[in-house]
């Protein structure tokens, strides 16, 4: 099937004299996960991971994937003729190198300019210049061969009330307008859906698992224009926008609008996320200020109302997860539970919670060796049955009316080896050490990462991803600019100073290909500790309260203060969650949260 | 006395219509410690610390000092009319703010352009522009009133042979010339003494405690010119320079030489260290590439020969220190030992070691409360007697023919409180945690600092300096670009990736004003550990082997692996040092290095 699609694409390329065609994983906004309309790369390659870039020439095709997906891509590309390229591994060419190598002199590189960010497009343009090659970015070739392509989403856009988010859109936009004036920006073009959702307090269902709305927004000191499908607006939201003076224009109208702007001197955009087509339409006399939107930092620092709501959402989500673990432990020996049916059970338990909206990302439900792929998702064809032995890893979360969650637990289903306990305990120690960190204001995630990762490094091991990412509030689940990561990764802006209210995941892991994977993840939020002569000390508040499987803990490997943290944590899990459980469940929770 | 000097300076200012005169702490090279000829700020203020900037107006005077010197400056400025300014503390103006506030419209700011770096001078020039004020930098007013000013040093400059440093000057300069060509630099002006010492393998005695020579150097792809007092050259060094084609010109000739250069397009300089007078002489058509000298990184990565020599030097220095601790512990009760006489005894023990050249910095010899000033130095007027109780802190080091050292020990002289033990143990734990760190290649000191400092932060405490600095090889004792520091400090470039061969100090500390100070410092050098699928793991090798006072250790506060590290360290101290001790000393060392 993939071969036929590649053939059809190559026919179109041939007709247009396009030598190399690039299919990235993106919508028009560089959203991390994309709705079904935008799954062109998946359609063309069969690879279902959340990231990856496909490059097709007349006789070759290659897919670049990062460390999370090395194993999954290997499996899914089988028989497709597409070669897997492991990003950042020695000897593997970059996409740019690959394209430059293959494009003929005076050749043409094609892509849909709406789904490639301006920085990447400019870099490619520069790179193929040596070969006198040019870029064709006006046509969406995959769209032309994709017969049963899903339509753009049409779900309702609704208002996240001030009781839920703590600040009116009018107040946020006013703050932004002041910022623009103070920084000599005559206009900002916002193209990222999470920033627009935060700024307008609008939520929707346009992206799978992210309650945001497909839209662009233009803000000037005087104007605020939202480019989106007006039919989606709920009555409440339409009224609010009218009251706030937010003008609505058609979604695709952004391109023509930008092309018509010629009376300003400066425009603030982020070329890492702005799509190339919009960028190309900016009048060449306008000075481009290429920077992060200030909304990114404002959004990341959750206010007291958001935090109070988030705490509620987490309790509900943790109840569902705790019930799930109880159910799994008591039923796995009976047989018949698969990775998919387990995930469905967990979804059902979440749905029973008040105000549940959606999963906050596709559940990672992975038994033993399947969990060695950090972002494994079972499929109907390839789905393991859970047995009463070893580890089962579940990384999942939900959006509720009051907030969003992201948790991972590795659950003992039966006998585990000493080595598995050694690894589980190491992960847990790292997670605890970061959770209980005390640090002076001014630290960022680069400073703190080794508290967690150092336990793993001491064993000569590593996990090839950040220790944690910022978590959005009824938005994208991965959020910048905060995170825990020891060194900068190109394109990821997660080294911000840790500010009060920033919610970040804390998720160390270990992966052993062919054997098992372990990850333990809580969400933590930055809070002030005390201030003294040395400055403002900071600490983390834990938001997630789900039991950590004591059956895989080797207490002898832990320090006294780590044991104390765990015991206090488990006591809190019990006190917060047990009131919402059945008698049997509560009795079980008492046992599994007892002191070690 | 200080008041009279200020009056004399103000008279000269008045004659020249200078409204504000700045006296920094610098030689013509921005060397960290300066020879006696250059101690203009000390002469004018009475403050003897290694850093500080004095600003004098017609009716006020203020001295900016950093956290190390808050206490010392308080004492030494008493009665001087000079106000102490605590840098980076809330409410304290910066030097720039202070000057801008006080300089009259169309006024004049004066300083000696040879002792102010180009960046600072440019910033000040810019800052006073609002007041239409100008800068006068041609005259050294302090020099004019300083009657008994010491002369410039005249000591011999000698060759550090390849057996000691592992690489010929010819090879280093060739590497630099290749770098300049590859980076399109037509010329580099080197003005920092440590870079010139490394590049030429020349050493001398021009700066107290730093065996370097006052010189400037110009390197082009074809030329290598050294501006220095030719009379200093030893016969061996003169012959080597002639052989290598290094041209010698007069020290002060650099200004005229630079003024005459007009046939190049680009020049590499570091405006943070280049003096303003040289900068002003660069032809305006020449493009200035303002960057660190590549020699900084090359110099920091000690080669195998340097490391082998450094290990020797450390053993000798550690023998002297161990003998000193033995002597001190056995004599303090007799009375009569002062901070100064203790430091003299330690110097004498170092002098007994083969190849001893000089102290590598002025010994910090501080009893109890005096150690609360991180960089305290006793003076004849203000010198405590050591008593058989509490802590004595000694931070000292030596230059030997084969390398340089920097060590701190806090020594128990008699009864100490539980709180003192608590603090001593915390410092030790931090020092150990950093020493035994294992980390992937790519980490820098920002990533690792919390391993050490985190122990202190957990107690709500802090030390207001880096955890460690790069250590020079027969050069300046503080060396960039490596270090351990959690956040960037302006003007300090110590965030480089930790490379094999970088020698760094590891010196956590705690200071309690009016009570005591504790610091424990080893030098450690970056080495490769094993490489595996995750990358190259790195580790530290410890260079310093001096017993750590077990009498102040509370073992119950330490983790098992920290205890293990200490016991193994002490076993190594005994095996390396005891062969060089008397029978009594060795027996004592056996006891004090026994397992805890």
């Amino acid at each position: 099937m993939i071969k036929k699609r590649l053939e059809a694409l190559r026919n179109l390329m041939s007709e247009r004299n396009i030598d190399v065609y690039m299919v990235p994983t993106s919508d028009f906004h560089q959203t991390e996960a994309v709705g079904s309309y935008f799954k062109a790369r998946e359609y063309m390659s069969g690879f279902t991971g959340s990231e990856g870039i496909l490059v097709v020439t007349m006789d070759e095709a290659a897919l670049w994937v990062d460390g999370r997906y090395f194993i999954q891509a290997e499996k899914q590309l089988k028989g497709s003729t597409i070669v897997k390229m492991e990003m950042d591994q020695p000897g593997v060419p970059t996409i740019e190198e690959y394209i430059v190598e293959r494009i003929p002199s005076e050749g043409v590189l094609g892509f849909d300019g709406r789904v490639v960010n301006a920085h990447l497009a400019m870099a490619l343009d520069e790179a193929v210049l040596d070969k006198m090659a040019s870029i064709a970015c006006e046509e969406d070739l995959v769209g032309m061969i994709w017969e049963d392509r899903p339509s753009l989403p049409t779900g309702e856009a609704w208002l996240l009330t001030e009781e839920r988010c703590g600040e009116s859109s009018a107040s946020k936009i006013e703050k932004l307008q002041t910022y623009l004036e103070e920084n000599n920006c005559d206009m900002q073009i916002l193209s990222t859906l999470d920033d627009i959702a935060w700024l307008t307090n609008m939520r929707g269902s346009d992206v799978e698992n992210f309650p945001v709305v497909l839209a662009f927004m233009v803000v000037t000191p005087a104007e605020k224009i939202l480019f989106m499908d007006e039919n989606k607006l709920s009555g409440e939201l339409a009224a609010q926008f009218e009251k706030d003076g937010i003008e609505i224009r058609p979604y695709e109208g952004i391109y023509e609008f930008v092309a018509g702007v010629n009376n300003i001197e400066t425009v603030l955009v982020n070329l890492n996320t702005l799509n190339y087509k919009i960028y190309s339409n900016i009048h060449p006399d306008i000075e481009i200020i290429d920077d992060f939107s200030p909304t990114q930092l404002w959004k990341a620092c959750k206010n007291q109302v958001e935090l109070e709501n988030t705490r509620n959402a987490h309790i509900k989500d943790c109840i569902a997860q705790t019930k799930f673990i109880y159910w799994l432990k008591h039923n796995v020996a009976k047989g018949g539970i698969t990775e998919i049916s387990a995930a469905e059970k967990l979804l059902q338990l979440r749905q029973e919670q008040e105000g549940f909206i959606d999963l906050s990302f596709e559940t990672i439900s992975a038994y033993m060796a399947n969990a060695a792929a950090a972002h494994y998702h079972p499929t109907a064809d390839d789905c393991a049955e859970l047995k009463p032995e070893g580890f089962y890893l579940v990384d999942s979360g939900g959006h509720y009316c009051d907030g969003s969650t992201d948790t991972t637990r590795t659950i003992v289903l039966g006998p585990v080896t000493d080595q598995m306990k050694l690894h589980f305990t190491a992960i847990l120690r790292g997670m605890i050490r970061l959770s209980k960190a005390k640090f002076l204001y001014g630290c960022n995630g680069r400073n703190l990462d080794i508290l967690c990762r150092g336990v793993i490094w001491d064993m000569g091991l590593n996990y090839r991803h950040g220790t944690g990412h910022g978590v959005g509030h009824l938005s994208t689940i991965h959020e910048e600019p905060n995170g825990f990561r020891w060194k900068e990764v190109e394109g990821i802006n997660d080294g911000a100073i840790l500010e009060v209210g920033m919610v970040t995941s804390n998720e160390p892991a270990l992966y052993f290909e062919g054997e098992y994977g372990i990850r333990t993840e809580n969400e933590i939020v930055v809070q002030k500790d005390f201030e003294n002569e040395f400055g403002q000390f900071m600490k983390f508040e834990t938001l997630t309260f789900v039991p950590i499987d004591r059956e895989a803990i080797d207490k002898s490997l832990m320090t006294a203060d780590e044991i104390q943290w765990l015991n206090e944590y488990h006591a809190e899990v019990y006190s917060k969650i047990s009131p919402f459980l059945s008698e049997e469940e509560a009795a079980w929770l008492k046992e599994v949260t007892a002191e070690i």
Side-chain angles (χ1 to χ4, degrees), chain A:
Chain A
M1 195 167 59
I2 295 301
K3 287 186 201 166
K4 282 205 173 154
R5 291 174 186 171
L6 288 171
E7 194 187 325
L9 178 65
R10 287 184 177 122
N11 287 339
L12 291 182
M13 287 164 62
S14 178
E15 286 168 19
R16 287 158 177 76
N17 290 318
I18 290 175
D19 302 285
V20 181
Y21 197 78
M22 183 175 75
V23 186
T25 308
S26 184
D27 58 14
F28 304 151
H29 310 270
Q30 298 283 313
T31 309
E32 177 198 349
V34 300
S36 51
Y37 175 86
F38 295 103
K39 296 196 170 176
R41 190 263 304 144
E42 178 177 329
Y43 178 80
M44 288 305 303
S45 68
F47 168 65
T48 59
S50 67
E51 284 181 59
I53 296 185
L54 177 69
V55 175
V56 179
T57 71
M58 294 315 290
D59 46 17
E60 290 179 298
L63 177 78
W64 276 258
V65 291
D66 64 47
R68 298 173 300 175
Y69 290 120
F70 290 171
I71 298 171
Q72 181 179 335
E74 184 78 40
K75 282 186 188 172
Q76 295 185 327
L77 291 182
K78 252 180 206 150
S80 70
T81 73
I82 300 171
V83 176
K84 178 185 69 165
M85 295 287 184
E86 299 191 345
M87 283 172 81
D88 299 326
Q89 294 300 296
V92 177
T94 64
I95 293 165
E96 209 175 285
E97 287 165 353
Y98 182 92
I99 290 174
V100 170
E101 169 106 19
R102 276 153 187 81
I103 204 159
S105 181
E106 300 190 2
V108 176
L109 166 66
F111 53 78
D112 177 358
R114 298 171 303 171
V115 297
V116 175
N117 72 67
H119 263 157
L120 176 59
M122 288 154 77
L124 291 171
D125 196 15
E126 172 94 20
V128 299
L129 211 63
D130 277 352
K131 294 267 194 105
M132 320 271 281
S134 60
I135 285 190
C137 68
E138 290 301 317
E139 284 187 316
D140 173 16
L141 299 194
V142 178
M144 294 178 188
I145 63 172
W146 191 350
E147 284 166 16
D148 53 347
R149 181 176 203 164
S151 59
L152 279 169
T154 56
E156 188 179 64
W158 46 278
L159 177 70
L160 188 67
T161 61
E162 267 189 72
E163 291 86 62
R164 297 296 188 195
C165 72
E167 186 178 4
S168 70
S169 171
S171 162
K172 292 175 180 177
I173 294 176
E174 199 183 315
K175 191 171 162 190
L176 179 60
Q177 289 174 320
T178 303
Y179 174 94
L180 295 177
E181 287 194 274
E182 285 174 359
N183 290 273
N184 299 315
C185 302
D186 296 329
M187 174 179 287
Q188 180 179 8
I189 305 173
L190 290 112
S191 65
T192 40
L193 304 186
D194 53 343
D195 287 296
I196 294 169
W198 178 83
L199 189 61
T200 58
N201 288 343
M202 169 173 68
R203 295 297 191 277
S205 59
D206 285 358
V207 182
E208 209 175 342
N209 304 135
F210 298 158
V212 295
V213 180
L214 292 174
F216 298 98
M217 190 162 184
V218 169
V219 178
T220 71
E223 286 174 302
K224 31 212 175 185
I225 311 171
L226 200 53
F227 297 86
M228 63 171 287
D229 177 357
E230 194 163 15
N231 296 323
K232 289 177 185 169
L233 292 175
S234 73
E236 187 184 27
L237 192 56
Q240 187 66 48
F241 283 171
E242 179 146 9
K243 189 176 154 214
D244 292 342
I246 295 176
E247 186 188 341
I248 311 293
R249 298 202 189 176
Y251 182 43
E252 287 274 342
I254 182 71
Y255 302 99
E256 205 187 314
F257 173 86
V258 170
V261 172
N262 56 16
N263 58 343
I264 61 169
E265 288 180 9
T266 57
V267 62
L268 173 63
V269 292
N270 183 346
L271 297 185
N272 274 324
T273 47
L274 189 73
N275 78 48
Y276 187 59
K277 190 167 172 182
I278 294 180
Y279 167 79
S280 308
N281 284 1
I282 297 174
H283 194 284
D285 288 349
I286 299 173
E287 183 194 343
I288 288 177
I289 299 169
D290 176 20
D291 205 349
F292 296 105
S293 171
T295 53
Q296 190 188 62
L297 179 61
W298 299 338
K299 172 165 60 70
C301 301
K302 275 72 178 173
N303 61 39
Q304 290 308 313
V305 175
E306 285 169 322
L307 286 181
E308 205 38 64
N309 276 280
T310 291
R311 289 187 192 101
N312 287 341
H314 274 83
I315 293 300
K316 291 190 278 192
D317 197 71
C318 294
I319 294 165
Q321 289 188 66
T322 304
K323 283 173 171 281
F324 171 73
I325 297 172
Y326 173 86
W327 169 84
L328 187 60
K329 293 243 184 193
H330 288 80
N331 287 283
V332 65
K334 297 176 191 159
I337 300 176
T338 67
E339 291 166 334
I340 289 183
S341 71
E344 279 166 357
K345 174 72 182 179
L346 180 53
L347 170 60
Q348 176 208 317
L349 288 163
R350 283 196 162 96
Q351 283 166 334
E352 287 171 11
Q353 295 296 317
E354 195 192 326
F356 177 77
I357 295 172
D358 194 0
L359 294 179
S360 55
F361 53 97
E362 194 186 342
T363 299
I364 298 172
S365 170
Y367 182 59
M368 289 297 280
N370 288 342
H375 280 222
Y376 168 82
H377 294 286
T379 60
D381 304 336
D382 188 3
C383 172
E385 185 179 334
L386 276 48
K387 292 182 207 141
E389 60 184 56
F391 283 145
Y392 165 70
L393 183 155
V394 59
D395 185 351
S396 67
H399 294 294
Y400 298 81
C401 58
D402 33 18
S404 311
T405 72
D406 181 357
T407 312
T408 307
R409 285 293 181 270
T410 303
I411 301 164
V412 176
L413 298 185
V416 290
T417 64
D418 285 351
Q419 180 173 289
M420 291 164 85
K421 287 186 184 179
L422 171 75
H423 291 145
F424 184 95
T425 308
I427 296 301
L428 173 59
R429 292 186 59 214
M431 206 277 285
I432 292 175
R433 281 167 36 140
L434 181 55
S435 298
K436 65 201 282 299
K438 184 176 286 190
F439 51 98
L440 274 176
Y441 175 79
C443 275
N444 60 21
R446 311 253 184 275
N447 296 128
L448 270 54
D449 189 67
I450 201 167
L451 288 180
C452 183
R453 197 182 297 266
V455 180
I456 311 301
W457 279 355
D458 281 346
M459 303 166 80
L461 300 170
N462 189 33
Y463 44 96
R464 291 195 182 92
H465 53 69
T467 297
H469 57 82
V471 180
H473 186 77
L474 284 162
S475 183
T476 54
I477 202 71
H478 293 123
E479 183 178 82
E480 297 180 342
N482 48 308
F484 302 116
R485 188 187 297 273
W486 65 284
K487 68 173 177 178
E488 197 172 336
V489 168
E490 207 190 316
I492 299 182
N493 173 41
D494 64 356
I497 287 177
L498 294 165
E499 305 281 354
V500 169
M502 283 179 167
V503 177
T504 316
S505 70
N506 173 4
E507 46 179 318
L510 278 172
Y511 308 104
F512 300 93
E513 202 174 331
E515 297 182 63
Y516 54 87
I518 305 170
R519 190 162 63 247
T520 300
E521 174 186 19
N522 278 352
E523 280 180 55
I524 55 183
V525 56
V526 180
Q527 295 287 11
K528 282 187 183 180
D529 204 338
F530 53 84
E531 191 174 4
N532 65 16
E533 69 211 270
F534 301 111
Q536 177 66 55
F537 278 90
M538 313 296 283
K539 63 182 177 183
F540 295 112
E541 171 194 347
T542 293
L543 294 173
T544 309
F545 294 98
V546 178
I548 294 166
D549 206 322
R550 300 188 327 155
E551 293 184 61
I553 296 175
D554 181 347
K555 181 182 168 182
S556 72
L557 301 172
M558 297 174 72
T559 63
D561 55 340
E562 290 160 7
I563 292 168
Q564 187 189 342
W565 185 94
L566 181 72
N567 287 335
E568 286 171 6
Y569 175 73
H570 268 154
E572 214 171 345
V573 170
Y574 181 77
S575 78
K576 283 183 195 298
I577 304 302
S578 64
F580 305 97
L581 302 181
S582 71
E583 212 169 295
E584 296 77 23
E585 287 167 337
W588 165 84
L589 186 61
K590 184 97 192 166
E591 265 175 54
V592 300
T593 57
E595 291 199 354
I596 61 164

